[in-house]
Amino acid sequence: AQTVTQSQPEMSVQEAETVTLSCTYDTSESDYYLFWYKQPPSRQMILVIRQEAYKQQNATENRFSVNFQKAAKSFSLKISDSQLGDAAMYFCVYGGATNKLIFGTGTLLAVQP
Amino acid sequence: GAVVSQHPSWVICKSGTSVKIECRSLDFQATTMFWYRQFPKQSLMLMATSNEGSKATYEQGVEKDKFLINHASLTLSTLTVTSAHPEDSSFYICSLQRYWGLAGGSQNNEQFFGPGTRLTVL
């Protein structure tokens, strides 16, 4: 069975600084997707970024980028120029052949003004 | 993206009553919908997968007779919590996967989430 591990329950970053959230996963599948979802205080789940496992190039979405290391089964999220609106719970998520999503335990990110 | 609505956003009920939560896709057809439960400061726990026109598939440990799921159309799935008790108090979230059709394709595993429903059972 697939698992997703987020080892940082909480993180804090100063506004305008850069922060990296860690995620590791375990799978025997060769074809899968990885996601970072954000859940702000409103509790609405929002897709931040998506990575296809077959792509070697790291995905980037504006201030958000990932470091995808397939061999190491690592998928970290880097947030550059952090903004107050980035404060949220961030979930690392695995999507494989079953169509079900497997969520990590989440990292609560605080942004200090 | 896709727009998903849930109704109600917040419901308070007495112990022993049943509560129905609706999940609607507003701008595309969804053959598959998912229902999650989230306790405070915890991750999402998948309860069941709902397929249009067929019975839902429940995750291990989820009582199918207590959490009734009906996926009556490509745009609506409902979750009914029957004989609710205080331990059923939680945040319930639905999500949809895009429909593989002529008009467009799936973003493969990407799910679009509703805003959630907070259930409080007194």
Side-chain angles (χ1 to χ4, degrees):
Chain A
Q2 294 80 26
T3 60
V4 178
T5 302
Q6 292 180 251
S7 59
Q8 305 155 316
E10 297 183 12
M11 293 280 286
S12 182
V13 63
Q14 291 291 129
E15 200 174 0
E17 296 295 310
T18 296
V19 64
T20 299
L21 307 184
S22 301
C23 173
T24 58
Y25 62 96
D26 191 26
T27 183
S28 59
E29 296 178 328
S30 58
D31 190 17
Y32 53 88
Y33 287 74
L34 294 164
F35 308 89
W36 279 97
Y37 277 91
K38 164 185 176 181
Q39 189 179 39
S42 68
R43 303 193 78 170
Q44 170 72 61
M45 295 289 287
I46 301 166
L47 178 67
V48 174
I49 199 163
R50 176 200 308 113
Q51 176 79 44
E52 293 92 334
Y54 66 86
K55 288 187 177 180
Q56 292 186 341
Q57 186 173 6
N58 289 323
T60 299
E61 287 288 342
N62 300 314
R63 298 182 295 108
F64 300 87
S65 62
V66 298
N67 183 2
F68 174 48
Q69 301 291 326
K70 190 172 183 178
K73 295 187 172 69
S74 171
F75 183 61
S76 62
L77 174 69
K78 186 172 79 171
I79 306 174
S80 304
D81 186 24
S82 297
Q83 301 175 359
L84 295 177
D86 295 333
M89 180 73 86
Y90 286 81
F91 292 102
C92 179
V93 183
Y94 175 97
T98 67
N99 281 345
K100 297 178 184 178
L101 296 183
I102 299 170
F103 286 76
T105 51
T107 297
L108 183 62
L109 177 66
V111 181
Q112 307 299 330
Chain B
V3 182
V4 182
S5 71
Q6 272 185 251
H7 178 79
S9 57
W10 193 5
V11 57
I12 302 173
C13 69
K14 293 183 179 180
S15 184
T17 60
S18 294
V19 174
K20 180 184 284 188
I21 302 170
E22 292 186 348
C23 176
R24 291 183 183 274
S25 172
L26 300 185
D27 57 356
F28 74 94
Q29 295 175 316
T31 54
T32 303
M33 298 185 179
F34 301 88
W35 285 96
Y36 295 87
R37 184 174 182 176
Q38 186 180 31
F39 290 106
K41 297 186 179 181
Q42 292 190 21
S43 189
L44 276 67
M45 182 193 78
L46 179 64
M47 299 175 65
T49 303
S50 166
N51 294 296
E52 188 266 338
S54 63
K55 291 184 178 180
T57 302
Y58 291 81
E59 295 300 299
Q60 190 173 6
V62 177
E63 299 176 59
K64 62 180 181 181
D65 294 330
K66 180 166 189 61
F67 299 98
L68 300 179
I69 292 172
N70 182 18
H71 193 154
S73 74
L74 290 172
T75 59
L76 174 64
S77 176
T78 61
L79 167 68
T80 301
V81 183
T82 62
S83 187
H85 291 284
E87 57 265 31
D88 298 324
S89 298
S90 189
F91 193 67
Y92 293 88
I93 306 173
C94 71
S95 72
L96 316 177
Q97 278 191 325
R98 290 187 77 96
Y99 172 61
W100 279 98
L102 295 177
S106 167
Q107 295 294 329
N108 285 10
N109 301 111
E110 181 177 349
Q111 294 181 16
F112 302 93
F113 290 85
T117 296
R118 183 184 303 277
L119 171 62
T120 301
V121 185
L122 303 177

